[in-house]
Amino acid sequence: MEMKTSATRPAALPEPTMYRILIVIGFVHLLNDSIQAVVPAMFPILESSMGLTFTQLGIVAFALNATASLAQPLVGWYTDQRPSPYALPIGLCFTFVGVIGLAIAPSFWFIVASVILIGIGSATFHPEGSRVANMAAGGRRGLAQSIYQVGGNGGQALAPVITALLLVPLGQIGALWFTIVAAVAIGLLVYIARWYAQQKPVIAKKKNGKIPRTQTRRKQPARKLFIFSIILLVFLVFARSWFQAGMTNFYAFHLIENYGLTIQEAQIYLFIFLAAGAVGTFCGGPLADRFGKRNVIMMSFLGAAPLTMILPHVPLFMLYPLLALIGFIIISSFAVSVIYAQDLFPGRIGMSSGLIVGLAFGMGAVGSIGLGALMDMAGITNTMIFIGALPLLGILTVFLPSDQRLERIHEEGAD
C-alpha cells in the first residue's frame, strides 16, 4: 500500500505557476518603467523651458541609462551569488528621491543627478524582478517572462500619454505626481520581497542541482560558441534598443518639425508605437514557443526593417498603422531575447537578464548621445533616416545557433 502511495506522489508533478506573483511583479515593472520612460518623454518640455540642446538631452539620456541599464549585469552577477529580496523596495526608494529632484531641478546638472538616482533604482529592480518572474514561472517560463516584460513595455507606452495629459499642462513640476507611483511600487515590492524571502531555501537547494555542473562540463568548442552567441545577442539587442531609444527620445521632434504637430499630438504617435510594442512583447513568447526563439528574434528585425526605412518619408495619415506595425514587430523579441540568453547561461538568471535588459538595452540608449550630436549637426530628418536603417543589422541573427542546436549541446553536456 505504501509503495503504491509513493508512486503516485509529487516527483512527477510540475511546480505551479504563481500567477498572483507574476501579475504583481509585472505591474510593478509597469510602474517602474513608466517613471523611467517619463524622462525622455519630458525632453520637449525641458528643451523649451530650460533651453537644453539636443546634445545635452542626449547626456541626460546617457546618465539615466548608464545607471539604469549598464549597471544591471553587475547587480545580476552579485544577486546570482547572494539573492537579495529586500533590494527591490530599497532600490525604488532611490527612484522616489530622484523623481522629486527631477520635478524641482533648477539646472541641467541637477537634472543629470536626479536621473542617476532614478537609474539606480531601476538597475536594482530589473535583475531581481526577472528572478522573481523565473521563480514564479513553474513550468511556464516563456509566459512568465512575457507577463513580466510586458509590464515594462506597458509602462514605457504610458509615458507619452502622461506627458500629454499631465506634464505639458503642468510643466516640469508635474513630475511630482510620479512620487505617488513610486510609493505604490515600493509598497508592492515589500509584499514581493516577503514572498521571495520565503523561497530562498528552495533556491539554495536548486543551486546544488544539475545546471551548474552542466556548465562546468561544456567542451571547449561549445564554450566558445556560447561566448560568441552572447556577444552577438548583446550587439543585436543594442541595435534594437538604439532604434527604440532614437524613437522615444527624438521622434517627437521629427513629428513637430515635419508635420507641424504640437507636443501633445506627437506624444500620441509615440504611444501608438510603444503600446503596439507592449502587445508584441506579450505575443513574442508564444510565437517563440511555436517557431523558435532565434527565428522570432530574426523576424523582429528583418520584418520591421522595410517599414522603419520608409517611416521618415510617409504622409501623416499613414503614421498610425505604420508605427503600430513597427512597434509590434520589432519589440516582439524583447522577452524572447531574455529567455534565449538564459538558455545560453542556465542558472545565471540575474546576469542573463542584466546583460540583455540592462547592458544591451542600455548601450542603445547610450547611443542617444551620438544621435543627439548627429541631430545637432545633420538635422532631424537625416538622423531619423539613420535610425530607420538600424534594424537591417538583424541579418546577423543567422549566426546565432538554433534552438535545437542549443538543446543538443546542453544534452551532450549533461551526459
Side-chain angles (χ1 to χ4, degrees):
M1 261 320 245
E2 289 178 26
M3 288 179 64
K4 192 172 181 183
T5 305
S6 63
T8 61
R9 270 201 207 210
L13 292 176
E15 295 179 11
T17 301
M18 303 293 292
Y19 289 102
R20 169 175 50 89
I21 298 299
L22 289 174
I23 290 170
V24 173
I25 197 66
F27 181 63
V28 175
H29 199 181
L30 182 148
L31 299 179
N32 178 84
D33 281 27
S34 67
I35 295 172
Q36 187 176 337
V38 84
V39 176
M42 284 181 67
F43 279 3
I45 295 170
L46 296 174
E47 188 260 349
S48 60
S49 66
M50 300 184 71
L52 301 185
T53 67
F54 290 123
T55 302
Q56 286 177 312
L57 294 176
I59 292 171
V60 173
F62 169 78
L64 175 66
N65 288 283
T67 45
S69 303
L70 300 185
Q72 281 190 44
L74 296 176
V75 174
W77 174 82
Y78 177 83
T79 55
D80 279 336
Q81 316 304 316
R82 300 175 183 82
S84 309
Y86 287 94
L88 287 163
I90 291 171
L92 261 290
C93 291
F94 284 90
T95 299
F96 183 90
V97 175
V99 169
I100 295 174
L102 182 65
I104 64 173
S107 66
F108 166 68
W109 290 111
F110 201 104
I111 289 173
V112 171
S114 299
V115 301
I116 285 174
L117 289 174
I118 294 172
I120 290 171
S122 190
T124 307
F125 170 76
H126 280 98
E128 285 298 88
S130 186
R131 189 188 314 281
V132 168
N134 191 70
M135 289 161 54
R140 311 193 68 180
R141 199 159 57 100
L143 176 64
Q145 199 62 228
S146 288
I147 292 173
Y148 171 66
Q149 298 295 353
V150 80
N153 285 24
Q156 293 173 32
L158 286 175
V161 176
I162 295 168
T163 301
L165 298 179
L166 186 64
L167 297 179
V168 171
L170 297 179
Q172 185 180 340
I173 195 69
L176 275 177
W177 283 97
F178 282 85
T179 57
I180 299 173
V181 176
V184 171
I186 291 168
L188 291 173
L189 285 177
V190 170
Y191 167 76
I192 288 288
R194 288 175 179 168
W195 175 86
Y196 181 172
Q198 293 170 356
Q199 314 307 308
K200 287 181 76 174
V202 178
I203 297 169
K205 287 179 186 176
K206 287 184 178 178
K207 280 193 172 183
N208 297 321
K210 298 186 237 174
I211 289 173
R213 276 204 312 271
T214 307
Q215 287 180 316
T216 60
R217 290 181 182 180
R218 282 183 188 152
K219 296 176 182 177
Q220 191 66 23
R223 188 177 297 114
K224 288 182 178 179
L225 174 65
F226 277 73
I227 293 172
F228 167 79
S229 298
I230 196 67
I231 292 172
L232 178 55
L233 182 64
V234 166
F235 175 76
L236 288 167
V237 176
F238 156 63
R240 185 189 65 209
S241 61
W242 199 10
F243 169 81
Q244 188 173 343
M247 292 291 292
T248 54
N249 292 342
F250 299 115
Y251 188 61
F253 296 107
H254 174 75
L255 293 171
I256 292 166
E257 179 178 276
N258 290 280
Y259 298 97
L261 302 183
T262 64
I263 294 176
Q264 293 99 320
E265 290 169 337
Q267 299 302 317
I268 301 303
Y269 286 84
L270 287 179
F271 169 74
I272 295 294
F273 169 73
L274 293 169
V279 176
T281 296
F282 188 76
C283 295
L287 288 171
D289 289 338
R290 179 164 184 177
F291 300 107
K293 291 181 281 293
R294 188 194 67 168
N295 292 338
V296 169
I297 294 170
M298 181 185 297
M299 289 312 301
S300 74
F301 281 91
L302 301 185
L307 305 178
T308 60
M309 292 178 73
I310 66 170
L311 180 63
H313 312 290
V314 298
L316 184 64
F317 74 90
M318 289 184 62
L319 288 183
Y320 278 150
L322 192 58
L323 286 168
L325 273 174
I326 290 171
F328 180 90
I329 295 170
I330 199 162
I331 306 179
S332 64
S333 61
F334 192 94
V336 180
S337 302
V338 177
I339 301 169
Y340 190 90
Q342 291 172 357
D343 285 348
L344 289 172
F345 291 100
R348 296 289 181 265
I349 302 299
M351 190 179 72
S352 299
S353 173
L355 282 170
I356 300 306
V357 182
L359 178 62
F361 193 80
M363 283 169 59
V366 167
S368 296
I369 294 181
L371 292 178
L374 179 63
M375 195 169 281
D376 281 330
M377 291 186 298
I380 295 173
T381 301
N382 289 330
T383 303
M384 293 311 304
I385 291 171
F386 171 79
I387 291 169
L390 288 171
L392 288 173
L393 293 170
I395 191 67
L396 297 175
T397 315
V398 298
F399 297 108
L400 289 174
S402 66
D403 297 38
Q404 295 80 5
R405 188 177 179 193
L406 286 181
E407 288 175 11
R408 285 198 302 272
I409 293 172
H410 286 311
E411 287 169 3
E412 290 168 4
D415 291 338

